[in-house]
Amino acid sequence: EPEVTQTPSHQVTQMGQEVILRCVPISNHLYFYWYRQILGQKVEFLVSFYNNEISEKSEIFDDQFSVERPDGSNFTLKIRSTKLEDSAMYFCASKERTSGGLLLYNEQFFGPGTRLTVL
Amino acid sequence: QKEVEQDPGPLSVPEGAIVSLNCTYSNSAFQYFMWYRQYSRKGPELLMYTYSSGNKEDGRFTAQVDKSSKYISLFIRDSQPSDSATYLCATLTNNDMRFGAGTRLTVKP
């Protein structure tokens, strides 16, 4: 069964360093997402990406964040200068197409997450 | 006002109990209402979804949406220890999904 994969599973970095979190979405999917979950808190939407551009982003997704689909398979989240408060689980998700009505719900499939620890 | 509110629990029940999980939401534009299950150190996985108001049943699970009161419910019948997980409600409009805080459920044998 196809699945979303993420690497690394755990990333430890020093404050101020740049990190790149990598995701391989399901191959025929067109919509890509990043979410984060700070320990003990809710899953929060960061950004959605479609047709090689950001379609929506939350207030969390500031200038320190960027996303890229550098080739046909990878989808990356870059944090330019990490802060302590960036420590969280980061989940990538992908979806085949947009939803529309009762019969056209399209599920977002989540990866297992990357645990980012900023020291 | 938070867009999706959910009591984080924790909730502990004996095996076989009926579990009721609930969320409220604020934005009437939300169209899809989902329940995700998240096991420890895993990503959320979709359990059920409903579109607009009404009930949906899948085995031991029933999802309910009342758009008039902006209330979302998940019922689990004959709960099993394997149901122990965090249950996240979520709402969706266009491409924008919003999650509740998640309720941690433990079903004790």
Side-chain angles (χ1 to χ4, degrees), chain B residues 1-3 18 25 28 32-35 39 57 59 61 65 69 72 76 83 87-89 95 98 103 106-107 109:
Chain B
Q1 183 181 14
K2 293 180 182 176
E3 288 185 291
I18 296 174
Y25 65 94
S28 57
Y32 292 94
F33 306 92
M34 288 79 69
W35 284 96
Y39 292 110
E57 192 172 314
F61 297 86
V65 176
S69 58
I72 313 163
I76 308 174
D83 295 330
Y87 289 80
L88 311 168
C89 62
N95 265 318
R98 300 286 186 229
T103 300
T106 302
V107 181

Side-chain angles (χ1 to χ4, degrees), chain A residues 42-112:
Chain A
K42 66 165 63 177
V43 175
E44 298 174 291
F45 168 77
L46 291 179
V47 66
S48 60
F49 190 86
Y50 169 71
N51 200 26
N52 281 320
E53 61 183 23
I54 291 173
S55 46
E56 289 196 58
K57 60 183 181 180
S58 71
E59 58 276 7
I60 303 168
F61 194 88
D62 61 21
D63 292 344
Q64 291 299 309
F65 292 89
S66 62
V67 289
E68 195 177 32
R69 187 154 163 82
D71 52 43
S73 60
N74 290 285
F75 180 51
T76 62
L77 175 69
K78 182 193 290 187
I79 309 175
R80 256 179 277 283
S81 177
T82 50
K83 303 187 284 285
L84 295 177
E85 53 266 37
D86 293 327
S87 295
M89 281 290 284
Y90 287 81
F91 294 105
C92 172
S94 70
K95 184 173 75 172
E96 187 175 2
R97 57 186 180 274
T98 195
S99 300
L102 179 63
L103 299 178
L104 293 176
Y105 176 72
N106 284 282
E107 178 183 350
Q108 288 187 27
F109 290 84
F110 285 77

Side-chain angles (χ1 to χ4, degrees), chain B residues 11-66:
Chain B
L11 182 62
S12 181
V13 301
E15 183 175 355
I18 296 174
V19 176
S20 172
L21 304 170
N22 307 292
C23 291
T24 58
Y25 65 94
S26 59
N27 188 343
S28 57
F30 291 137
Q31 298 168 310
Y32 292 94
F33 306 92
M34 288 79 69
W35 284 96
Y36 280 82
R37 181 170 57 195
Q38 186 178 23
Y39 292 110
S40 181
R41 300 185 185 278
K42 300 284 189 183
E45 56 178 353
L46 182 68
L47 196 58
M48 297 181 70
Y49 77 92
T50 52
Y51 177 73
S52 191
S53 281
N55 290 2
K56 188 171 185 179
E57 192 172 314
D58 184 1
R60 297 183 294 110
F61 297 86
T62 300
Q64 282 186 356
V65 176
D66 183 346

Side-chain angles (χ1 to χ4, degrees), chain A residues 8-59:
Chain A
S9 58
H10 190 189
Q11 173 90 49
V12 181
T13 189
Q14 296 290 325
M15 190 171 57
Q17 295 295 305
E18 175 184 286
V19 293
I20 298 176
L21 309 182
R22 302 179 192 280
C23 169
V24 179
I26 295 173
S27 62
N28 64 333
H29 285 191
L30 302 177
Y31 295 82
F32 313 109
Y33 307 84
W34 283 102
Y35 295 84
R36 79 170 186 192
Q37 186 176 31
I38 295 170
L39 185 64
Q41 298 186 26
K42 66 165 63 177
V43 175
E44 298 174 291
F45 168 77
L46 291 179
V47 66
S48 60
F49 190 86
Y50 169 71
N51 200 26
N52 281 320
E53 61 183 23
I54 291 173
S55 46
E56 289 196 58
K57 60 183 181 180
S58 71
E59 58 276 7

